[in-house]
Amino acid sequence: MSDVARLAGVSQQTVSRVVRGATNVDPDIRRRVQHAIEQLRYRRNPAAAALASNRTMTIGVVSFELSVLGPTVALYGISEEARQHGYATRLVTLASLERKDIRAAFESINSDTVDGVIVLAPLLDAISVLDDLDIGVPVVTFQQGSQPSPNSVSVDEVKGARMVVRHLLDLGHKTVWHVQGPPGWMATSARVQGWAEELGAAGCFAPTPLATSDWSAAEGYRVGRELAARQDVTAIFAANDPFALGVIKALDEAGRDVPGDVSVVGFDDVKEAPYFRPALTTVRLDFEAIGHIAVGRVLSMIKEEAEGDIPLLEPRLILRDTTAPPRS
């Protein structure tokens, strides 16, 4: 660090501020320091930094079901943002949704091993257990469908679900059937809520949502076969894109055209959605941004600089080829 300071013509304290990502550094000085760092190929020593700051320079992450899109993409955002600030991440996965396993996962992370914790387990039971624990470090949660708060990050999924229903009703469909997510997930509740609210606001009949046991395409296919047998079904809102894929396959096998006979909309906008046949209309959620925001809030809480609620991220309805007006 002293070599970098000498080459850049600044103090070691200034180099330290640049390396830590401090904002109170003149842009010209920051560029000189960064150029010196590149020339000398300087790399920060995490162990020395931790000793000097009395911090572990590690952020704990508690997650469940990394096969589910939201937590997986958010985890990538967390690791990238943490790395930019000189932090490592320590991942602890939940063994199950049993309260004892949730408690054990949280208790394995304490103030001796991490400086803060991000919870990527948007499950009602996980949040309930967390409320009863004193972890001893700042905690930020990913709570799908929650209201803005100082320590939780979320996308407005209720609004996203309402956008789906409004789009289908505007096309002329009389109602929208819903393939809902598995029980216990906050996303399931938020998407059901938005679906029901928009149908209610339009004065439309709300069919009973079709239950699922997990987020897989196989479950979408299973309930899709039930829907395909009903001639009164003309519009389906699937709670995630794999559900939509399974539903479309079931409709195709039953000889029902998408979108000619039945319109289908997914949720999440997986990378493969444009390549579905037909390309899937869906709702895009920026899960990676959630990871970046969560790290930023944890770091500001560590420094005792956090202020105000974290605004909800906005969803986007992505129109492709699986929706159309109903046949007359």
Side-chain angles (χ1 to χ4, degrees):
M1 188 177 288
S2 62
D3 293 337
V4 171
R6 189 178 306 110
L7 182 58
V10 298
S11 67
Q12 289 190 47
Q13 289 81 358
T14 298
V15 175
S16 177
R17 289 202 302 274
V18 172
V19 170
R20 288 185 288 106
T23 58
N24 59 334
V25 180
D26 180 84
D28 181 60
I29 293 176
R30 183 185 300 278
R31 281 191 293 270
R32 283 161 44 196
V33 171
Q34 290 173 338
H35 182 62
I37 287 173
E38 291 172 4
Q39 283 186 292
L40 297 174
R41 295 200 290 181
Y42 168 74
R43 294 293 181 270
R44 192 182 193 200
N45 185 324
L51 286 171
S53 62
N54 197 29
R55 293 177 182 162
T56 68
M57 303 305 294
T58 302
I59 295 173
V61 182
V62 177
S63 187
F64 177 73
E65 282 285 4
L66 288 177
S67 61
V68 176
L69 179 73
T72 302
V73 179
L75 180 60
Y76 174 77
I78 288 170
S79 62
E80 284 297 295
E81 187 70 18
R83 183 178 59 80
Q84 291 292 329
H85 291 275
Y87 272 77
T89 53
R90 178 189 173 200
L91 176 64
V92 176
T93 55
L94 299 177
S96 75
L97 293 183
E98 295 289 333
R99 293 182 71 87
K100 62 179 179 61
D101 290 328
I102 297 173
R103 179 177 291 274
F106 285 133
E107 289 179 345
S108 71
I109 295 180
N110 57 61
S111 57
D112 294 332
T113 58
V114 298
D115 297 325
V117 175
I118 297 172
V119 181
L120 287 181
L123 301 143
L124 299 174
D125 283 348
I127 301 303
S128 173
V129 171
L130 180 61
D131 288 340
D132 296 333
L133 295 178
D134 180 13
I135 297 177
V137 294
V139 177
V140 171
T141 58
F142 171 34
Q143 297 192 33
Q144 292 174 272
S146 66
Q147 294 300 308
S149 84
N151 57 1
S152 69
V153 191
S154 184
V155 182
D156 193 344
E157 300 201 16
V158 174
K159 180 178 180 179
R162 296 192 69 151
M163 292 165 65
V164 170
V165 176
R166 175 44 49 198
H167 167 61
L168 292 167
L169 295 181
D170 286 345
L171 288 173
H173 296 277
K174 301 302 181 184
T175 192
V176 178
W177 294 71
H178 182 44
V179 180
Q180 71 177 29
W185 287 82
M186 301 181 78
T188 297
S189 302
R191 297 170 194 185
V192 168
Q193 179 185 339
W195 164 80
E197 285 181 357
E198 193 62 30
L199 285 179
C204 296
F205 163 70
T208 301
L210 284 88
T212 57
S213 60
D214 58 44
W215 291 103
S216 68
E219 278 293 272
Y221 174 73
R222 180 184 64 79
V223 298
R225 294 179 66 183
E226 298 179 36
L227 292 168
R230 299 187 58 122
Q231 294 303 309
D232 58 335
V233 174
T234 66
I236 299 171
F237 165 35
N240 77 346
D241 292 345
F243 283 172
L245 178 63
V247 166
I248 292 171
K249 177 176 172 59
L251 290 168
D252 180 67
E253 289 181 354
R256 304 194 68 186
D257 179 67
V258 176
D261 297 316
V262 183
S263 289
V264 178
V265 182
F267 213 89
D268 292 342
D269 194 28
V270 298
K271 291 181 179 179
E272 298 81 8
Y275 305 100
F276 283 24
R277 187 172 182 183
L280 183 65
T281 293
T282 184
V283 173
R284 179 175 297 165
L285 306 179
D286 194 345
F287 290 117
E288 185 176 335
I290 284 174
H292 289 283
I293 292 169
V295 171
R297 178 50 61 111
V298 162
L299 295 181
S300 64
M301 292 170 71
I302 291 171
K303 300 173 186 176
E304 299 183 352
E305 296 174 353
E307 295 181 358
D309 292 339
I310 305 171
L312 295 180
L313 295 177
E314 289 290 314
R316 287 179 56 200
L317 180 63
I318 307 298
L319 299 179
R320 295 194 180 102
D321 303 330
T322 53
T323 57
R327 295 191 192 276
S328 57

